Amino acid sequence: MSRFCIYLGSRDGRNPQFAEAAGRLGTELARRGHGLVYGGARVGLMGTLADAVMAAGGEAVGVMPDHLVEREQAHRGLTELIRVRNMHERKARMAAHADAFIMLPGGIGTLEEFFETWTWHYLGLHDKPIGVLDTEGFYAPLLAFLDNTVEHGFLNGRTRAELFDAGEPASLLDALEARLSASD
């Protein structure tokens, strides 16, 4: 079983397709025998994803700093909830438990976690596949910006090509699984 670390919003966003895609991704992860590692929240897209994984019989591991657990943001029905002291420890524990990474719609926290993970990959600190689920074109402007950074010489094409993106959960999982299989 591979574990997928997924970064996504603790809010639902305004488009109901975001929650629908998070639910489909969670169901598909479990159906394929993969586990989930995520931020541990019960709210927003995070809660939708974890609920879908567990409803489909999968494993869901949350990693959450104590201060957020105390604010009652933690999902109490997870396979495992790992409590940590701070956000830095959270990111390190999530990465250590993961075999691959996916970003879904979210805000600045989602982007920060994702870009740190991708930077670690670029620096050779891990060789785990990374993907973006571009639901309803949410990340199309970001992906275009990344292509622009290649065009202007601030990002090499190989690094950009190592970031998988797809509009549908199954397509993205197919690409990431192929990359995981090639690494074995």
Side-chain angles (χ1 to χ4, degrees), residues 3 14 16 20 26 31 36 46 82 119 121 131 140 144 162 177:
R3 285 188 177 156
R14 292 193 175 108
E20 194 272 332
R31 187 186 72 72
L36 167 66
M46 294 173 80
I82 300 170
T119 300
H121 184 273
E162 290 173 347
E177 286 173 332

Side-chain angles (χ1 to χ4, degrees), residues 13 33 57 61 70 79 93 124 142 149 160 170 173 179 181:
V61 175
E70 291 164 8
T79 307
R93 292 287 291 272
L142 176 63
T149 63
R160 171 61 180 96
L173 286 176
R179 173 62 170 67
S181 294

Side-chain angles (χ1 to χ4, degrees), residues 122-146:
Y122 171 75
L123 295 173
L125 301 176
H126 73 80
D127 189 32
K128 301 171 184 178
I130 303 171
V132 175
L133 184 59
D134 187 24
T135 304
E136 297 291 306
F138 181 81
Y139 283 120
L142 176 63
L143 296 168
F145 168 77
L146 293 173

Side-chain angles (χ1 to χ4, degrees), residues 13-179:
R14 292 193 175 108
N15 186 335
Q17 292 299 311
F18 299 152
E20 194 272 332
R24 283 191 293 126
L25 177 61
T27 300
E28 191 68 14
L29 277 174
R31 187 186 72 72
R32 294 180 186 211
H34 300 303
L36 167 66
V37 178
Y38 82 116
R42 63 178 172 75
V43 295
L45 297 181
M46 294 173 80
T48 299
L49 174 68
D51 289 343
V53 167
M54 293 182 304
E59 172 191 80
V61 175
V63 182
M64 184 173 276
D66 290 327
H67 76 277
L68 292 177
V69 173
E70 291 164 8
R71 286 177 39 195
E72 298 182 3
Q73 296 300 309
H75 195 305
R76 300 294 183 179
L78 301 174
T79 307
E80 180 181 7
L81 178 65
I82 300 170
R83 291 180 68 154
V84 295
R85 291 176 306 212
N86 56 52
M87 296 298 281
H88 297 293
E89 189 177 341
R90 176 195 212 180
K91 291 184 288 187
R93 292 287 291 272
M94 289 169 67
H97 279 78
D99 299 299
F101 302 90
I102 297 175
M103 178 172 66
L104 271 65
I108 60 172
T110 299
L111 290 166
E112 186 272 332
E113 289 173 327
F114 170 78
F115 276 109
E116 183 169 18
T117 298
W118 194 21
T119 300
W120 291 347
H121 184 273
Y122 171 75
L123 295 173
L125 301 176
H126 73 80
D127 189 32
K128 301 171 184 178
I130 303 171
V132 175
L133 184 59
D134 187 24
T135 304
E136 297 291 306
F138 181 81
Y139 283 120
L142 176 63
L143 296 168
F145 168 77
L146 293 173
D147 293 338
N148 192 48
T149 63
V150 172
E151 184 179 320
H152 287 280
F154 290 102
L155 178 67
N156 69 49
R158 191 180 114 238
T159 300
R160 171 61 180 96
E162 290 173 347
L163 176 62
F164 298 95
D165 61 87
E168 289 297 320
S171 300
L172 184 58
L173 286 176
D174 289 345
L176 295 172
E177 286 173 332
R179 173 62 170 67

